[in-house]
Amino acid sequence: MKSSRRLFLKSSAVFIGTFSLLADDSFEYAKKISIYKEPYQTFALLHKDLFVNSNIYNLLNSINPTSYLAGVFEDPYITQDDKDYLKNGITWLHETSDELYKKRYYNLKTYERQQLLHKISEQEWGDSWLWSIMSYFFEAMLGDSIYGGNIDAKGWQYLDLVSGYPRPKKVLYNG
Amino acid sequence: MVDVCIIGSGAGAAPVAYTLCKAGYNVTLLEKGPLLERSDFSKDEIAVSRRAVYTPLLKDEQHVMETYRSDGTIERTLGVDADWSFWNGSLVGGSSNLMSGYFHRMKLNDFKLLSTYGEIEGANIVDWAISYEDLEPYYDKVEKIVGVSGKAVKHKFLEPRSSKDFPYPPTWEQGVSSWIDSACESLGYESIPTPRAVLPYDALERSGCSYSNFCGSYGCATGAKGNAKSALLDKAMATGRCKIISEAFVYYLKSDALHVREAHYFDKDKNSHKIEAKLFVLAAQAIESSRLLLNSKSKYFPNGLANNSGNVGKNLIFSAGGVGQGTLELKNLSKERQNQLFTRGAFVNRSLQQWYEYVDRGFRYKGGTIDFLYQHANPIARAMGELYDKDARLLWGRDLDKRLQYAFKESRIIKFEVFNDWLPTDKNYVSIDEKVKDRWGIPVGKLRLYGHKHDLRVGRYLAKKGENVLKEMGCLHVSSDISNAPPPNLVAGGCRFGNDPKSSVLDKNCKAHELKNLYVTDGSFMPTGGSVPYTWTIYANSFRVADKILKHLQKTLGHL
């Protein structure tokens, strides 16, 4: 189980040959999205649900996790399989919701969504999928703000963190 | 034609380039990765640690792993399928750019493991073809030229030193370091300062450490870390006689019966080139050096270059051992100690080598080294470590927030690493997988992986000592994990040196027995590994061999 989670996260290995694009100063990792369209409508709601009743909930605008996730879908280091897995999880989430509540996830009441998340977290796919959602959430919250999350270093401030220096000037830079 | 062509640019390659260029010879290095300057490095966790931008993408370049199931059958795994990478650092300077710089010398008995400790069933233990005394002047040279900071204190296994102390004092140390000392004193243990290839202040035409809190895994923006480029290649380049061709993947060495004549390489656009040289030095790191030799088949060497004896790739070794950790809670400490615990940037710099050799139940064991450190500062990785509770249930919401508060604001994890011998065996080696090719169409390396059970026994013995120290310090949740999983960044062997051409690839000077102008100067030569990280020994041996190569060149090309 653990290795499959690790496998999923780190198998981020598609070379498209566009490093020069990523190394461009003007390249923005996080993308502008509409949270009224799928899959971002559900991702945005999920990000709220995963931090409901916590102080991190109030930082969501600064963490910007859904726009960051849109950047993940265009990240050449992440395989298409992994990107598909993230999106397929949304489909499976709605399917499970339909099965249990006869409604789409975003039409459930708050407590029903929490019940559903607990339900899927007990299944292998759900545990693995939520783990990957969390991994990109933490990248947005605790990665350098050059990636479009952690705006004004709010994520670092929340956990009393100070960046290492020098900070990156370009995203995913490897020369 | 150049005088010397070196394949690779890391700790095994750079001392040769440095020595020969200073002596007036023309050297060309071929490095698969890019040439990065200090100004290119930053503390970008997403790029460096999450996406691993300094190593090849496994889709393009991978290894095939073969492991033993419990019934003895073999399980085959493609690196890309399991996200299992044995790459360490594809850039000029190699993985020395990304090291933590724990620099321990090997001990006298590490050079004569067989004659000191005897045979162990299933292991191919041998004595080295050289002694500690042969290598000592070069350990000393590395201290001075690469730059090693530390403090030599007398202890049970302190190796003989030609210089009384290190040329640079220890880097800035954590308050916790003195807590470790006190705990060790209470236990009757000898804690010692950990030597580090990090400059505490400006020296050697490099800037001192900036104490950024992000050292291991990251490139050094000041040049304080003694990586091969900052410490040696920059100076070799300054002679005007060193040429580095980056993004050049060497896939074939062409030879006749006695001499290597050409290195064939692909550039980044997959165009093939070749370079002629009078002498070749191979230092592509252990696995890839064996792979290149095995892929360089010819009518003279049908089983691969320098492999008519069948020894290339055999006796691959890693470092055995593992890690342990414990948690110190802020609420149990005085205000002063709280501040000390949360100091950022300083190094822990403490080791134990008291059990480098020990007797347990009447059996004399070769033991190893324990190094102490803080949990790595990477915040994303630390946060991910808090996702599950003790019952392995995924957390979110308020429960997760509480754990994050505890992990980041209310406690610190102190860790230790155990280094002990990975015994060489017939069951752990490199070969070629003819079915799986890399992005250039070249067969990839296949790793048969096996850790001897003796390694686990020694590792667990040492880990208990590390746990004792953490408990004595007042750490909670103390645990350790010793396994025979091979650490990719601690790899050596595959072209062991020795005096008998039937049982070794290289002679005592690391020249291939079967060729007159091929040397191998990375960790491949090591027949056994010692119980310390390998980088200092690789540097030192490369300086030693560089002097032999210099004599070789002076004899064949004349003095310059």
Side-chain angles (χ1 to χ4, degrees):
Chain A
M1 174 68 86
K2 291 282 180 198
S3 68
S4 69
R5 284 190 206 106
R6 188 173 58 80
L7 181 158
F8 167 72
L9 181 77
K10 283 202 69 192
S11 59
S12 45
V14 171
F15 176 66
I16 296 177
T18 55
F19 290 134
S20 56
L21 169 68
L22 294 174
D24 189 291
D25 285 335
S26 63
F27 181 82
E28 290 180 0
Y29 191 88
K31 301 286 179 281
K32 285 179 184 162
I33 49 146
S34 167
I35 59 163
Y36 302 107
K37 288 183 181 172
E38 284 290 59
Y40 298 111
Q41 179 180 7
T42 304
F43 278 130
L45 183 59
L46 186 64
H47 286 141
K48 288 181 179 177
D49 289 342
L50 287 172
F51 288 92
V52 70
N53 295 329
S54 84
N55 293 325
I56 295 173
Y57 186 92
N58 300 324
L59 296 174
L60 284 175
N61 283 342
S62 299
I63 295 170
N64 202 19
T66 314
S67 292
Y68 180 85
L69 199 56
V72 168
F73 290 123
E74 295 186 23
D75 186 330
Y77 283 89
I78 297 174
T79 65
Q80 193 57 47
D81 281 351
D82 290 348
K83 293 169 184 171
D84 290 345
Y85 183 75
L86 281 170
K87 288 182 179 171
N88 289 341
I90 294 290
T91 305
W92 301 330
L93 181 71
H94 287 309
E95 284 175 358
T96 310
S97 181
D98 279 337
E99 198 178 297
L100 294 175
Y101 300 99
K102 311 297 179 202
K103 285 187 274 191
R104 306 286 278 176
Y105 179 78
Y106 44 67
N107 290 328
L108 298 179
K109 293 185 171 68
T110 303
Y111 77 91
E112 289 174 329
R113 295 201 301 275
Q114 289 295 319
Q115 281 179 343
L116 182 58
L117 291 177
H118 280 287
K119 205 87 178 166
I120 67 166
S121 74
E122 290 165 3
Q123 298 175 30
E124 191 170 341
W125 80 264
D127 175 81
S128 179
W129 181 69
L130 288 172
W131 181 91
S132 59
I133 295 287
M134 284 293 201
S135 74
Y136 293 117
F137 182 93
F138 283 133
E139 286 188 3
M141 177 178 171
L142 300 171
D144 196 280
S145 55
I146 196 173
Y147 287 85
N150 190 18
I151 295 168
D152 297 329
K154 294 287 188 193
W156 288 338
Q157 287 167 22
Y158 181 69
L159 294 175
D160 290 347
L161 294 167
V162 179
S163 159
Y165 288 94
R167 287 175 55 183
K169 298 184 185 77
K170 300 170 184 175
V171 303
L172 298 177
Y173 182 65
N174 74 341
Chain B
M1 180 185 289
V2 298
D3 294 332
V4 176
C5 173
I6 302 178
I7 295 114
S9 66
V16 178
Y18 175 90
T19 304
L20 300 184
C21 289
K22 290 253 179 191
Y25 293 97
N26 290 308
V27 174
T28 296
L29 294 100
L30 299 169
E31 164 57 49
K32 189 174 75 171
L35 175 65
L36 297 180
E37 301 299 336
R38 291 171 206 171
S39 57
D40 290 318
F41 293 123
S42 71
K43 311 303 179 185
D44 181 350
E45 184 183 358
I46 291 175
V48 174
S49 298
R50 309 289 294 176
R51 305 292 187 271
V53 297
Y54 300 136
T55 57
L57 297 168
L58 292 175
K59 177 179 174 293
D60 298 326
E61 299 174 61
Q62 62 178 314
H63 296 97
V64 175
M65 273 62 73
E66 292 183 337
T67 51
Y68 293 85
R69 297 190 188 95
S70 55
D71 65 0
T73 57
I74 302 297
E75 182 168 354
R76 175 185 160 92
T77 306
L78 295 184
V80 71
D81 290 345
D83 183 36
W84 196 353
S85 174
F86 277 83
W87 302 114
N88 291 305
S90 286
L91 65 166
V92 171
S95 54
S96 67
N97 284 288
L98 312 176
M99 67 180 176
S100 299
Y102 296 105
F103 265 32
H104 295 282
R105 298 181 181 203
M106 287 172 60
K107 312 291 183 191
L108 278 72
N109 285 351
D110 283 324
F111 293 77
K112 41 189 180 182
L113 218 54
L114 179 62
S115 55
T116 306
Y117 301 99
E119 291 187 358
I120 293 175
E121 190 179 349
N124 301 326
I125 303 168
V126 293
D127 288 351
W128 280 38
I130 59 172
S131 67
Y132 175 80
E133 289 75 16
D134 293 321
L135 204 54
E136 199 287 330
Y138 298 98
Y139 278 127
D140 187 69
K141 191 170 189 174
V142 174
E143 286 185 7
K144 295 180 169 94
I145 293 178
V146 173
V148 183
S149 57
K151 182 172 174 55
V153 297
K154 195 173 177 191
H155 66 94
K156 191 175 172 186
F157 290 102
L158 176 65
E159 56 285 335
R161 298 175 49 84
S162 52
S163 296
K164 189 179 175 194
D165 208 344
F166 289 88
Y168 304 97
T171 50
W172 175 38
E173 291 182 347
Q174 290 283 0
V176 165
S177 308
S178 66
W179 308 0
I180 293 171
D181 292 338
S182 299
C184 287
E185 196 177 337
S186 300
L187 292 164
Y189 295 175
E190 289 181 308
S191 68
I192 57 172
T194 307
R196 276 200 118 94
V198 177
L199 296 174
Y201 48 71
D202 295 1
L204 299 171
E205 301 169 47
R206 290 147 50 195
S207 297
C209 184
S210 64
Y211 300 102
S212 74
N213 207 32
F214 293 80
C215 183
S217 303
Y218 287 90
C220 183
T222 69
K225 195 189 286 186
N227 66 70
K229 181 174 181 299
S230 289
L232 300 171
L233 293 180
D234 284 350
K235 294 183 175 86
M237 294 282 282
T239 66
R241 289 182 287 276
C242 178
K243 182 179 179 186
I244 298 175
I245 303 177
S246 60
E247 299 179 81
F249 168 57
V250 179
Y251 62 93
Y252 186 74
L253 294 176
K254 184 179 179 184
S255 78
D256 56 27
L258 292 173
H259 296 86
V260 179
R261 298 298 184 188
E262 297 168 353
H264 294 207
Y265 67 94
F266 290 114
D267 64 22
K268 62 180 177 179
D269 299 317
K270 294 191 181 179
N271 297 312
S272 182
H273 305 265
K274 58 188 175 187
I275 185 166
E276 296 178 53
K278 291 159 190 158
L279 188 142
F280 288 82
V281 176
L282 177 55
Q285 209 164 55
I287 293 167
E288 290 303 295
S289 287
S290 282
R291 176 195 175 200
L292 175 57
L293 292 175
L294 292 169
N295 271 332
S296 297
K297 295 181 178 124
S298 68
K299 66 178 180 182
Y300 307 105
F301 297 98
N303 301 314
L305 189 63
N307 193 35
N308 286 339
S309 68
N311 285 304
V312 171
K314 302 290 167 59
N315 294 301
L316 185 73
I317 53 175
F318 296 90
S319 177
V323 295
Q325 67 176 47
T327 304
L328 282 172
E329 290 187 345
L330 215 56
K331 66 183 181 187
N332 299 326
L333 300 173
S334 67
K335 191 74 185 168
E336 184 189 359
R337 287 208 157 201
Q338 287 180 1
N339 289 335
Q340 286 183 345
L341 186 66
F342 272 55
T343 300
R344 58 184 298 281
F347 293 92
V348 174
N349 280 357
R350 285 296 180 276
S351 302
L352 293 171
Q353 291 194 316
Q354 189 167 346
W355 304 277
Y356 211 82
E357 177 184 306
Y358 64 92
V359 176
D360 186 35
R361 295 173 202 174
F363 189 86
R364 186 184 181 200
Y365 285 91
K366 167 65 201 312
T369 300
I370 303 164
D371 278 337
F372 291 91
L373 65 159
Y374 266 32
Q375 180 186 34
H376 198 289
N378 274 345
I380 300 167
R382 288 171 65 193
M384 289 303 292
E386 302 302 323
L387 269 182
Y388 288 87
D389 69 10
K390 60 181 172 46
D391 299 319
R393 284 181 312 183
L394 187 74
L395 299 174
W396 63 85
R398 193 182 295 153
D399 293 338
L400 177 58
D401 196 7
K402 275 186 194 166
R403 276 185 71 104
L404 293 174
Q405 295 296 317
Y406 176 80
F408 284 84
K409 294 183 175 180
E410 298 164 20
S411 66
R412 278 286 180 275
I413 290 176
I414 311 295
K415 306 189 82 155
F416 64 82
E417 294 178 323
V418 171
F419 300 89
N420 60 280
D421 285 77
W422 180 289
L423 295 179
T425 69
D426 287 341
K427 298 166 80 173
N428 199 66
Y429 58 87
V430 184
S431 61
I432 295 298
D433 194 301
E434 298 290 351
K435 292 177 186 165
V436 181
K437 310 278 174 68
D438 64 17
R439 69 186 174 108
W440 295 281
I442 305 300
V444 305
K446 182 163 65 179
L447 309 180
R448 179 69 66 86
L449 299 168
Y450 172 79
H452 197 289
K453 63 184 178 186
H454 181 92
D455 306 343
L456 293 175
R457 196 177 304 139
V458 174
R460 285 174 185 145
Y461 183 90
L462 294 170
K464 283 290 165 209
K465 307 297 184 186
E467 287 187 17
N468 290 344
V469 174
L470 295 184
K471 286 174 185 167
E472 184 67 22
M473 290 171 68
C475 287
L476 305 172
H477 318 305
V478 174
S479 65
S480 62
D481 179 21
I482 300 298
S483 79
N484 55 16
N489 61 328
L490 294 161
V491 59
C495 295
R496 58 167 39 177
F497 77 163
N499 293 319
D500 183 357
K502 289 179 185 162
S503 59
S504 56
V505 177
L506 310 173
D507 68 15
K508 66 186 290 187
N509 296 330
C510 291
K511 186 186 75 63
H513 285 299
E514 298 172 14
L515 290 142
K516 289 186 178 297
N517 69 337
L518 175 66
Y519 289 79
V520 181
T521 58
D522 54 23
S524 302
F525 80 99
M526 298 171 73
T528 59
S531 299
V532 292
Y534 298 147
T535 312
W536 195 355
T537 298
I538 292 170
Y539 265 134
N541 185 64
S542 183
F543 271 117
R544 180 185 72 88
V545 175
D547 281 351
K548 307 295 180 190
I549 294 173
L550 192 55
K551 282 186 185 164
H552 178 133
L553 291 174
Q554 287 166 345
K555 195 172 161 188
T556 54
L557 303 180
H559 289 266
L560 296 176

